Amino acid sequence: MSVTLKTEEDIAGMRVAGRLASELLDFLTPLIVTGVTTREIDSAAHDYMVNVQKTTPATLNYAPPGHTPYPASLCTSVNHVVCHGIPGEKKLKDGDIINVDVTVIKDGYHGDSSRMFCIGKPSIQARRLVEITYEAMWRGIRAVRAGAHLGDIGSAIQRFAEGHGFSVVREFCGHGIGTRFHEDPQVLHYGRPGTGLKLQAGMIFTVEPMMNAGRAAIRSLADGWTIVTADHSLSAQWEHTVLVTETGYEVLTQSAGTPPPPPISD
Ligand code: MF3
Ligand code: CO
Ligand code: CO
């Protein structure tokens, strides 16, 4: 596989798909409260995609090699679940942190974004993990411009995360995205500046760091999808889909409810 440069037509399609993914998260936000089951969030998302947006849930029956088809229209990863949590009957409770990750397909183009939500009042450490992971994603995004290297993104994320005592999950990474869900390149959330693929205007990929409060090691559950921290420590993740431009980047997964970028001083 190789990295594709998107045409103006592709970019226009990706802007629409990105906005729709973000609008879906906006729609779900008021539902993500104490007492709701993750299945209820999934079914609300499915109906909104299919009936309101006329988008297709990219994750439903998604079956990359070696995997059984993913059974839901989004991923809900609560507390020590790192990613790919399958919605179910468990109710959200006060103090939980949850990542909701959505991918919509519109006119063949994919928009992929995730946000963290705090249920009630999580511990100070949990809220800090959520905030530091958010800023880590943004530090990675800010490293994006034509001529920069993928390692600049990974390094910015890793330095910030580890500087705050958190660990970066190694087994999952950001990815090129377009008419396919997961394309080249792999966007690692760790690395060294000046290394890796050189970015060119017209590339589109996700930045989606996963960070753990404890050790970086993960385990997968018997359902074939759910990934948890090996030490059961809390994990957080945020995700945007980003276009490389000559002078920087354009975040494609934006809408009225997108959280603003954090203030970054250095
Ligand atoms: N949305 C995830 C990503 O950011 C992929 C989920 S695949 C699934 O790449 F099958 F687990 F849903
Ligand atoms: Co993604
Ligand atoms: Co995603």
Side-chain angles (χ1 to χ4, degrees), residues 18-38:
R19 177 176 49 79
L20 289 165
S22 191
E23 285 177 357
L24 173 59
L25 289 170
D26 293 352
F27 167 74
L28 295 174
T29 296
L31 309 177
I32 304 170
V33 293
T34 307
V36 76
T37 68
T38 47

PDB file of all heavy atoms in Angstrom, residues 18-38:
ATOM      1  N   GLY A  18     -15.933  14.420   7.475  1.00  0.00           N
ATOM      2  CA  GLY A  18     -15.342  14.816   8.755  1.00  0.00           C
ATOM      3  C   GLY A  18     -16.324  15.623   9.597  1.00  0.00           C
ATOM      4  O   GLY A  18     -16.483  15.386  10.800  1.00  0.00           O
ATOM      5  N   ARG A  19     -17.005  16.571   8.940  1.00  0.00           N
ATOM      6  CA  ARG A  19     -17.990  17.373   9.671  1.00  0.00           C
ATOM      7  C   ARG A  19     -19.123  16.485  10.195  1.00  0.00           C
ATOM      8  O   ARG A  19     -19.573  16.638  11.339  1.00  0.00           O
ATOM      9  CB  ARG A  19     -18.550  18.477   8.759  1.00  0.00           C
ATOM     10  CG  ARG A  19     -19.640  19.312   9.409  1.00  0.00           C
ATOM     11  CD  ARG A  19     -20.131  20.454   8.541  1.00  0.00           C
ATOM     12  NE  ARG A  19     -20.472  20.067   7.170  1.00  0.00           N
ATOM     13  CZ  ARG A  19     -21.598  19.463   6.801  1.00  0.00           C
ATOM     14  NH1 ARG A  19     -22.510  19.149   7.706  1.00  0.00           N
ATOM     15  NH2 ARG A  19     -21.805  19.164   5.532  1.00  0.00           N
ATOM     16  N   LEU A  20     -19.553  15.523   9.393  1.00  0.00           N
ATOM     17  CA  LEU A  20     -20.650  14.645   9.827  1.00  0.00           C
ATOM     18  C   LEU A  20     -20.233  13.772  11.014  1.00  0.00           C
ATOM     19  O   LEU A  20     -21.031  13.549  11.940  1.00  0.00           O
ATOM     20  CB  LEU A  20     -21.134  13.795   8.649  1.00  0.00           C
ATOM     21  CG  LEU A  20     -21.905  14.601   7.591  1.00  0.00           C
ATOM     22  CD1 LEU A  20     -22.030  13.797   6.289  1.00  0.00           C
ATOM     23  CD2 LEU A  20     -23.295  14.992   8.102  1.00  0.00           C
ATOM     24  N   ALA A  21     -19.007  13.287  11.025  1.00  0.00           N
ATOM     25  CA  ALA A  21     -18.527  12.498  12.174  1.00  0.00           C
ATOM     26  C   ALA A  21     -18.580  13.363  13.431  1.00  0.00           C
ATOM     27  O   ALA A  21     -19.028  12.926  14.501  1.00  0.00           O
ATOM     28  CB  ALA A  21     -17.107  11.993  11.921  1.00  0.00           C
ATOM     29  N   SER A  22     -18.129  14.607  13.296  1.00  0.00           N
ATOM     30  CA  SER A  22     -18.108  15.505  14.446  1.00  0.00           C
ATOM     31  C   SER A  22     -19.532  15.869  14.883  1.00  0.00           C
ATOM     32  O   SER A  22     -19.830  15.928  16.082  1.00  0.00           O
ATOM     33  CB  SER A  22     -17.307  16.752  14.070  1.00  0.00           C
ATOM     34  OG  SER A  22     -17.044  17.525  15.207  1.00  0.00           O
ATOM     35  N   GLU A  23     -20.426  16.086  13.923  1.00  0.00           N
ATOM     36  CA  GLU A  23     -21.817  16.385  14.266  1.00  0.00           C
ATOM     37  C   GLU A  23     -22.493  15.197  14.959  1.00  0.00           C
ATOM     38  O   GLU A  23     -23.365  15.376  15.813  1.00  0.00           O
ATOM     39  CB  GLU A  23     -22.608  16.776  13.010  1.00  0.00           C
ATOM     40  CG  GLU A  23     -22.257  18.181  12.539  1.00  0.00           C
ATOM     41  CD  GLU A  23     -22.969  18.592  11.255  1.00  0.00           C
ATOM     42  OE1 GLU A  23     -23.707  17.764  10.667  1.00  0.00           O
ATOM     43  OE2 GLU A  23     -22.769  19.743  10.835  1.00  0.00           O
ATOM     44  N   LEU A  24     -22.089  13.995  14.582  1.00  0.00           N
ATOM     45  CA  LEU A  24     -22.630  12.811  15.266  1.00  0.00           C
ATOM     46  C   LEU A  24     -22.200  12.821  16.731  1.00  0.00           C
ATOM     47  O   LEU A  24     -23.019  12.554  17.634  1.00  0.00           O
ATOM     48  CB  LEU A  24     -22.145  11.545  14.546  1.00  0.00           C
ATOM     49  CG  LEU A  24     -22.466  10.215  15.222  1.00  0.00           C
ATOM     50  CD1 LEU A  24     -23.967  10.021  15.393  1.00  0.00           C
ATOM     51  CD2 LEU A  24     -21.864   9.058  14.412  1.00  0.00           C
ATOM     52  N   LEU A  25     -20.955  13.162  16.991  1.00  0.00           N
ATOM     53  CA  LEU A  25     -20.506  13.256  18.395  1.00  0.00           C
ATOM     54  C   LEU A  25     -21.271  14.361  19.127  1.00  0.00           C
ATOM     55  O   LEU A  25     -21.647  14.195  20.295  1.00  0.00           O
ATOM     56  CB  LEU A  25     -18.994  13.491  18.450  1.00  0.00           C
ATOM     57  CG  LEU A  25     -18.137  12.278  18.046  1.00  0.00           C
ATOM     58  CD1 LEU A  25     -16.670  12.676  17.881  1.00  0.00           C
ATOM     59  CD2 LEU A  25     -18.270  11.147  19.070  1.00  0.00           C
ATOM     60  N   ASP A  26     -21.517  15.471  18.445  1.00  0.00           N
ATOM     61  CA  ASP A  26     -22.322  16.547  19.065  1.00  0.00           C
ATOM     62  C   ASP A  26     -23.705  16.026  19.453  1.00  0.00           C
ATOM     63  O   ASP A  26     -24.200  16.296  20.550  1.00  0.00           O
ATOM     64  CB  ASP A  26     -22.527  17.717  18.085  1.00  0.00           C
ATOM     65  CG  ASP A  26     -21.253  18.463  17.748  1.00  0.00           C
ATOM     66  OD1 ASP A  26     -20.212  18.191  18.365  1.00  0.00           O
ATOM     67  OD2 ASP A  26     -21.314  19.325  16.846  1.00  0.00           O
ATOM     68  N   PHE A  27     -24.317  15.281  18.521  1.00  0.00           N
ATOM     69  CA  PHE A  27     -25.650  14.734  18.771  1.00  0.00           C
ATOM     70  C   PHE A  27     -25.643  13.774  19.970  1.00  0.00           C
ATOM     71  O   PHE A  27     -26.585  13.744  20.772  1.00  0.00           O
ATOM     72  CB  PHE A  27     -26.154  14.012  17.515  1.00  0.00           C
ATOM     73  CG  PHE A  27     -27.364  13.144  17.752  1.00  0.00           C
ATOM     74  CD1 PHE A  27     -28.617  13.713  17.936  1.00  0.00           C
ATOM     75  CD2 PHE A  27     -27.246  11.755  17.823  1.00  0.00           C
ATOM     76  CE1 PHE A  27     -29.740  12.914  18.180  1.00  0.00           C
ATOM     77  CE2 PHE A  27     -28.353  10.953  18.067  1.00  0.00           C
ATOM     78  CZ  PHE A  27     -29.599  11.532  18.244  1.00  0.00           C
ATOM     79  N   LEU A  28     -24.581  12.979  20.090  1.00  0.00           N
ATOM     80  CA  LEU A  28     -24.527  11.974  21.160  1.00  0.00           C
ATOM     81  C   LEU A  28     -24.217  12.576  22.527  1.00  0.00           C
ATOM     82  O   LEU A  28     -24.597  12.008  23.563  1.00  0.00           O
ATOM     83  CB  LEU A  28     -23.462  10.915  20.818  1.00  0.00           C
ATOM     84  CG  LEU A  28     -23.770  10.071  19.587  1.00  0.00           C
ATOM     85  CD1 LEU A  28     -22.576   9.168  19.261  1.00  0.00           C
ATOM     86  CD2 LEU A  28     -25.032   9.221  19.803  1.00  0.00           C
ATOM     87  N   THR A  29     -23.548  13.722  22.537  1.00  0.00           N
ATOM     88  CA  THR A  29     -23.029  14.274  23.800  1.00  0.00           C
ATOM     89  C   THR A  29     -24.064  14.341  24.927  1.00  0.00           C
ATOM     90  O   THR A  29     -23.792  13.870  26.036  1.00  0.00           O
ATOM     91  CB  THR A  29     -22.377  15.645  23.540  1.00  0.00           C
ATOM     92  OG1 THR A  29     -21.253  15.436  22.680  1.00  0.00           O
ATOM     93  CG2 THR A  29     -21.933  16.326  24.820  1.00  0.00           C
ATOM     94  N   PRO A  30     -25.276  14.882  24.689  1.00  0.00           N
ATOM     95  CA  PRO A  30     -26.227  14.961  25.811  1.00  0.00           C
ATOM     96  C   PRO A  30     -26.738  13.597  26.293  1.00  0.00           C
ATOM     97  O   PRO A  30     -27.311  13.501  27.381  1.00  0.00           O
ATOM     98  CB  PRO A  30     -27.384  15.805  25.245  1.00  0.00           C
ATOM     99  CG  PRO A  30     -27.175  15.879  23.781  1.00  0.00           C
ATOM    100  CD  PRO A  30     -25.753  15.579  23.483  1.00  0.00           C
ATOM    101  N   LEU A  31     -26.511  12.540  25.499  1.00  0.00           N
ATOM    102  CA  LEU A  31     -26.973  11.196  25.902  1.00  0.00           C
ATOM    103  C   LEU A  31     -25.968  10.484  26.791  1.00  0.00           C
ATOM    104  O   LEU A  31     -26.285   9.443  27.391  1.00  0.00           O
ATOM    105  CB  LEU A  31     -27.213  10.326  24.656  1.00  0.00           C
ATOM    106  CG  LEU A  31     -28.077  10.907  23.550  1.00  0.00           C
ATOM    107  CD1 LEU A  31     -28.148   9.940  22.369  1.00  0.00           C
ATOM    108  CD2 LEU A  31     -29.474  11.186  24.084  1.00  0.00           C
ATOM    109  N   ILE A  32     -24.740  11.011  26.856  1.00  0.00           N
ATOM    110  CA  ILE A  32     -23.652  10.286  27.527  1.00  0.00           C
ATOM    111  C   ILE A  32     -23.602  10.723  28.998  1.00  0.00           C
ATOM    112  O   ILE A  32     -22.846  11.609  29.379  1.00  0.00           O
ATOM    113  CB  ILE A  32     -22.324  10.525  26.771  1.00  0.00           C
ATOM    114  CG1 ILE A  32     -22.508  10.102  25.303  1.00  0.00           C
ATOM    115  CG2 ILE A  32     -21.179   9.740  27.412  1.00  0.00           C
ATOM    116  CD1 ILE A  32     -21.383  10.486  24.386  1.00  0.00           C
ATOM    117  N   VAL A  33     -24.500  10.110  29.778  1.00  0.00           N
ATOM    118  CA  VAL A  33     -24.724  10.509  31.179  1.00  0.00           C
ATOM    119  C   VAL A  33     -24.873   9.260  32.057  1.00  0.00           C
ATOM    120  O   VAL A  33     -25.045   8.145  31.542  1.00  0.00           O
ATOM    121  CB  VAL A  33     -26.014  11.368  31.306  1.00  0.00           C
ATOM    122  CG1 VAL A  33     -25.843  12.713  30.602  1.00  0.00           C
ATOM    123  CG2 VAL A  33     -27.221  10.613  30.767  1.00  0.00           C
ATOM    124  N   THR A  34     -24.843   9.473  33.362  1.00  0.00           N
ATOM    125  CA  THR A  34     -25.034   8.388  34.339  1.00  0.00           C
ATOM    126  C   THR A  34     -26.296   7.588  34.028  1.00  0.00           C
ATOM    127  O   THR A  34     -27.349   8.181  33.765  1.00  0.00           O
ATOM    128  CB  THR A  34     -25.167   8.977  35.756  1.00  0.00           C
ATOM    129  OG1 THR A  34     -24.055   9.827  35.992  1.00  0.00           O
ATOM    130  CG2 THR A  34     -25.212   7.895  36.814  1.00  0.00           C
ATOM    131  N   GLY A  35     -26.185   6.270  34.036  1.00  0.00           N
ATOM    132  CA  GLY A  35     -27.354   5.404  33.907  1.00  0.00           C
ATOM    133  C   GLY A  35     -27.641   4.921  32.503  1.00  0.00           C
ATOM    134  O   GLY A  35     -28.389   3.961  32.320  1.00  0.00           O
ATOM    135  N   VAL A  36     -27.058   5.565  31.492  1.00  0.00           N
ATOM    136  CA  VAL A  36     -27.312   5.117  30.123  1.00  0.00           C
ATOM    137  C   VAL A  36     -26.418   3.911  29.829  1.00  0.00           C
ATOM    138  O   VAL A  36     -25.305   3.802  30.373  1.00  0.00           O
ATOM    139  CB  VAL A  36     -27.052   6.265  29.113  1.00  0.00           C
ATOM    140  CG1 VAL A  36     -25.572   6.501  28.874  1.00  0.00           C
ATOM    141  CG2 VAL A  36     -27.762   6.003  27.788  1.00  0.00           C
ATOM    142  N   THR A  37     -26.909   2.973  29.026  1.00  0.00           N
ATOM    143  CA  THR A  37     -26.039   1.864  28.626  1.00  0.00           C
ATOM    144  C   THR A  37     -25.313   2.254  27.343  1.00  0.00           C
ATOM    145  O   THR A  37     -25.807   3.062  26.544  1.00  0.00           O
ATOM    146  CB  THR A  37     -26.828   0.567  28.359  1.00  0.00           C
ATOM    147  OG1 THR A  37     -27.643   0.744  27.185  1.00  0.00           O
ATOM    148  CG2 THR A  37     -27.709   0.192  29.546  1.00  0.00           C
ATOM    149  N   THR A  38     -24.148   1.640  27.166  1.00  0.00           N
ATOM    150  CA  THR A  38     -23.395   1.947  25.944  1.00  0.00           C
ATOM    151  C   THR A  38     -24.153   1.430  24.711  1.00  0.00           C
ATOM    152  O   THR A  38     -24.018   1.973  23.625  1.00  0.00           O
ATOM    153  CB  THR A  38     -21.973   1.381  26.031  1.00  0.00           C
ATOM    154  OG1 THR A  38     -22.027   0.017  26.482  1.00  0.00           O
ATOM    155  CG2 THR A  38     -21.125   2.192  27.006  1.00  0.00           C
TER     156      THR A  38
END
